[in-house]
């Protein structure tokens, strides 16, 4: 399994959300995407986007200053 990392610690919404959308679109079934987020607005928007797209994701680490998510596409049924 291949893991890609998207470091959004220096980006804020709407650019952070746009970068997540692009990364998720290019993600293959056998890949995971590790997303690092610091902006509070981006956290909410990205969380909502991943939920709305029915993507599998887990919170790896969450603190006041950093949120790390691990995301993967669900296998087609």
């Amino acid at each position: 399994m291949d893991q890609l990392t998207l470091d959004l610690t220096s980006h804020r919404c709407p650019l952070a959300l746009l970068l997540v959308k692009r990364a998720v679109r290019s993600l293959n079934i056998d890949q995971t995407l590790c997303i690092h987020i610091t902006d509070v607005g981006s956290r909410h928007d990205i969380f909502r986007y991943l939920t709305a797209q029915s993507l599998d994701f887990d919170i790896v680490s969450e603190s006041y200053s950093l949120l790390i998510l691990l995301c993967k596409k669900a296998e087609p049924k």
Side-chain angles (χ1 to χ4, degrees):
M1 185 183 302
D2 192 20
Q3 182 171 325
L4 307 172
T5 301
L6 183 58
D7 184 0
L8 300 174
T9 56
S10 62
H11 299 287
R12 296 172 45 193
C13 261
L15 181 59
L17 181 59
L18 176 65
L19 293 171
V20 167
K21 287 180 179 182
R22 287 182 181 172
V24 166
R25 210 174 303 132
S26 66
L27 199 62
N28 294 323
I29 296 296
D30 61 339
Q31 294 176 317
T32 58
L33 179 64
C34 185
I35 307 169
H36 297 227
I37 311 162
T38 54
D39 179 56
V40 175
S42 297
R43 288 180 184 213
H44 296 294
D45 291 346
I46 291 169
F47 186 80
R48 265 187 298 208
Y49 171 75
L50 296 175
T51 302
Q53 296 300 310
S54 300
L55 296 167
D56 294 332
F57 67 95
D58 293 313
I59 298 174
V60 175
S61 175
E62 184 175 19
S63 69
Y64 179 75
S65 60
L66 179 66
L67 174 66
I68 300 175
L69 300 174
L70 194 59
C71 172
K72 66 178 183 172
K73 283 187 178 179
E75 300 220 11
K77 296 179 182 179

